Amino acid sequence: MRTLIKNGTVVTASDTYRADILIEDEKIVSIELESMAAYDQVYDAFGKLIFPGAIDVHTHLDMPFGGTVTADDFTTGTTAAAAGGTTCIIDYALQTPGKSLEEALQAWHARADGKCAIDYGFHVAVTDLNDTILEEIPDLVEKGYPSFKVFMAYKGVFQVDDATLLRVLQQAGVSGGLVLVHAENGDVIDVLTREMLAEGKTEPIYHALSRPPQAEEEAVNRFITIAELSGAPAYIVHLSDAGALGRVAEARLRGHKIFAETCPQYLLLSIDRYYEPDFGGAKYVMSPPLREEGNEEFLWDGLASGNLQVVASDHCSFNMKEQKELGLHDFTKIPNGAPGVETRVQLLYAGGVNSGRITQNQFVDLVSTAPARLFGLYPQKGTIAVGSDADLVIFNPDAPFTVSQGTQFQNVDYNPYEGFQGHGVPEKVFSRGELVINNGKYVGKIGHGKFQKRSPFGQF
Ligand code: URP
Ligand code: ZN
Ligand code: ZN
């Protein structure tokens, strides 16, 4: 099957130009100013931008957490991702203490295989380290899982100690792995949380107040210090705080391979959301929490200057009804996380490109190319080039959109950006040459999404 996309403006991380793109089966086979090639079907993209499919390297689908399971599974979550212009996700397989990393991957493959609308991969979260677990790391890199996550927060659940951080970094570093971290000081948060509960402070705002910016900055700094000591590259997930970003910028200036992602929620929402009436603040209970207004300006600057390399969603959806409600009388029982896999690309385009904070090319880099390079998918994904997967988005930069729970694909009973208006709509989305989204309708096949074996860190 040969598909021609004609007359569009191709936007990659480095270039913008008019071209016709010819797809044969799953791959891009030619990019020419005016293609004369024969084709079976044609799409006219005049007046539209063509982006490489976006890659969301931080999702949690079908994940047990906080006494419940996320509202989106791999079918609803990947369909929602596609609707938003994302053609590949990397989710987290979490080690159960006492079990192997392989067992975690088997469990997550059972959740995802045959159920995805778009391509997917897994990071592996290490929660319980010993010598045998350490030995699994090089094997897993070989098998296409070159990224490992550690948590410095969620005391008593996922949190690991500094010795574990160092050992995972050392082993990953010599094996071609990249270590990802949730950087908040879990011990400090634990003390503050107990104090607040003892004072009868149970509302959602205390989630944010018990996790102050200093808890993030300290953990980011400690992690960077340990990473530098180990010599291994490292990546900070969902960075939310200006002070923490300063620590990343300093380490990068020293020449260390430190990378960081932020998320739309930290760019567009602020701490006052926790005061929404009738337990509405629970919608935004996530970790790290939303920060004071003004903090987001530092993050936008970080995206523009290159100190932040990736925008991911940290999609982790729980319904208000029966899930967030578990914490009606105790903020610590509100499952942490919020939906965002569907809105990430449009929110960044509207909030970043349309407001002049980042260029279209930077936008493509942040949502697609840099994630592909850092996580071993480039150049198969993350760019528009001959030989790359035909993961493509025909994007109408002038079309208006309004975010609404009522029209979303995400399987959750609210949207944290309800009513947000902007311009820029992914009208057609192709996953390996298959049209999966056509003007707001899902037209793909569940099970089309394939597991992506990724390359070791740095091989691009
Ligand atoms: O609150 C959040 N971010 N939930 C998802 C798990 C995590 O920490 O990334
Ligand atoms: Zn986290
Ligand atoms: Zn997360």
Side-chain angles (χ1 to χ4, degrees), residues 101-432:
L101 304 183
E102 272 287 0
E103 282 169 295
L105 281 165
Q106 278 165 18
W108 256 266
H109 272 289
R111 292 176 161 102
D113 293 353
K115 296 176 193 158
C116 290
I118 53 161
D119 293 343
Y120 60 97
F122 295 110
H123 312 288
V124 189
V126 180
T127 62
D128 184 18
L129 189 70
N130 57 43
D131 291 345
T132 319
I133 298 294
L134 214 52
E135 281 166 22
E136 288 190 84
I137 288 179
D139 265 11
L140 293 180
V141 173
E142 272 291 295
K143 289 180 177 162
Y145 308 93
S147 41
F148 300 88
K149 167 93 171 276
V150 284
F151 292 87
M152 297 169 80
Y154 302 127
K155 192 173 166 70
V157 186
F158 301 136
Q159 185 175 330
V160 298
D161 60 14
D162 291 353
T164 300
L165 298 181
L166 178 61
R167 295 181 80 204
V168 173
L169 278 159
Q170 286 171 330
Q171 180 75 320
V174 295
S175 313
L178 178 65
V179 180
L180 286 56
V181 71
H182 173 133
E184 287 184 292
N185 184 322
D187 290 351
V188 163
I189 290 167
D190 186 54
V191 172
L192 296 179
T193 302
R194 286 168 196 273
E195 286 173 2
M196 285 176 186
L197 288 180
E199 291 165 22
K201 296 173 172 168
T202 59
E203 294 85 7
I205 180 61
Y206 293 106
H207 170 76
L209 299 181
S210 63
R211 311 180 85 96
Q214 294 90 331
E216 182 174 1
E217 184 175 345
E218 186 282 329
V220 163
N221 191 46
R222 178 160 37 106
F223 182 70
I224 287 174
T225 307
I226 298 172
E228 288 196 31
L229 197 96
S230 74
Y235 178 99
I236 294 144
V237 305
H238 54 39
L239 186 139
S240 74
D241 167 56
L245 175 57
R247 303 299 185 152
V248 170
E250 286 161 15
R252 290 176 62 80
L253 266 183
R254 289 195 295 275
H256 197 74
K257 285 200 173 67
I258 296 291
F259 307 96
E261 82 184 17
T262 192
C263 313
Q265 50 271 34
Y266 304 118
L267 296 164
L268 298 171
L269 307 175
S270 60
I271 193 167
D272 37 278
R273 295 279 178 150
Y274 294 110
Y275 294 104
E276 279 188 10
D278 303 325
F279 194 57
K283 292 180 215 163
Y284 314 97
V285 167
M286 62 185 78
S287 298
L290 300 177
R291 302 299 187 191
E292 293 291 342
E293 205 167 330
N295 176 76
E296 75 285 356
E297 290 303 332
F298 293 88
L299 301 182
W300 283 114
D301 286 351
L303 295 177
S305 69
N307 279 323
L308 290 168
Q309 294 76 42
V310 172
V311 174
S313 69
D314 192 12
H315 178 92
C316 187
S317 57
F318 297 103
N319 289 312
M320 285 294 281
K321 207 156 177 47
E322 290 176 10
Q323 295 195 297
K324 294 281 185 181
E325 274 177 6
L326 292 167
L328 205 47
H329 306 293
D330 175 349
F331 70 88
T332 65
K333 299 202 164 54
I334 302 171
N336 283 206
V341 74
E342 187 170 344
T343 44
R344 173 184 69 118
V345 168
Q346 282 179 273
L347 291 175
L348 188 69
Y349 193 87
V353 178
N354 288 340
S355 66
R357 287 170 154 135
I358 52 172
T359 66
Q360 284 177 345
N361 308 96
Q362 284 176 312
F363 159 82
V364 168
D365 199 31
L366 290 162
V367 299
S368 181
T369 312
R373 284 183 194 273
L374 286 167
F375 292 100
L377 291 163
Y378 190 87
Q380 187 190 336
K381 296 190 183 292
T383 194
I384 298 179
V386 171
S388 294
D389 282 356
D391 289 354
L392 296 167
V393 177
I394 302 182
F395 190 85
N396 184 344
D398 304 315
F401 71 87
T402 304
V403 176
S404 164
Q405 188 275 335
T407 55
Q408 72 183 358
F409 284 84
Q410 295 173 150
N411 181 37
V412 58
D413 63 7
Y414 77 100
N415 190 304
Y417 307 96
E418 189 70 35
F420 183 102
Q421 296 190 325
H423 287 84
V425 173
E427 289 182 344
K428 291 192 182 356
V429 179
F430 297 84
S431 163
R432 279 181 286 102

